[in-house]
Amino acid sequence: MSDCIFCKIAQKKVPAKIIYEDELAIALEDISPQAPVHTLVIPKKHIPTSLDIREEDNALLGHLFQIANRIACEKGIAKRGFRLVMNCNPESGQAVYHIHLHILGGRQMHWPPG
Ligand code: 5GP
Ligand code: ZN
């Protein structure tokens, strides 16, 4: 999608600190980190919200989780614990309408979330 910031990042039209890439997805460091580790895992396919995930995307979503798990292990937060978040629509705080998994870790998380 032409006016989507994450599509532009995936197409290298906008710079970002990309730490992983394959044919289906990228992982990049969040521009405004909310924890010592705050990495985003994004499919290259433009899917606006989690409500738009279709049956045909099931393997892609599993792939995003595999990437997130690997990054959590590599960054040393897997055993301590971390949070995977996908916001959906305005009351969740979703700001970018191209699905992304937030990997948040490196500090104590709280519940309920804000
Ligand atoms: P959301 O609120 O949609 O779940 O999360 C969007 C996330 O994307 C936010 O954490 C925000 O800091 C991050 N973000 C927004 N624009 C950019 C950008 O241009 N580059 C990077 N690296 N992160 C971004
Ligand atoms: Zn997009």
Side-chain angles (χ1 to χ4, degrees):
M1 204 192 160
S2 59
D3 62 346
C4 168
I5 184 69
F6 286 171
C7 282
K8 286 180 183 162
I9 287 173
Q11 292 159 11
K12 314 286 165 53
K13 290 176 180 163
V14 168
K17 194 171 175 204
I18 295 174
I19 62 164
Y20 175 83
E21 177 167 16
D22 63 28
E23 67 281 7
L24 296 173
I26 60 171
L28 64 147
E29 302 299 6
D30 197 289
I31 204 167
S32 174
Q34 301 301 310
V37 173
H38 191 173
T39 303
L40 305 173
V41 185
I42 297 174
K44 289 185 173 176
K45 177 180 178 182
H46 181 83
I47 300 173
T49 78
S50 60
L51 292 168
D52 301 301
I53 296 166
R54 299 287 171 256
E55 193 82 19
E56 72 211 37
D57 302 316
N58 286 355
L60 175 61
L61 266 290
H63 185 60
L64 300 185
F65 276 85
Q66 296 291 346
I67 294 167
N69 287 341
R70 219 155 48 225
I71 289 170
C73 290
E74 285 166 8
K75 289 185 176 260
I77 57 170
K79 199 166 180 191
R80 293 169 60 188
F82 59 101
R83 192 168 285 176
L84 297 179
V85 173
M86 185 177 287
N87 293 317
C88 181
N89 277 341
E91 284 197 2
S92 75
Q94 184 174 4
V96 178
Y97 281 74
H98 176 134
I99 60 164
H100 45 282
L101 262 187
H102 294 257
I103 308 169
L104 292 153
R107 65 168 170 81
Q108 179 64 51
M109 296 289 156
H110 303 287
W111 198 264

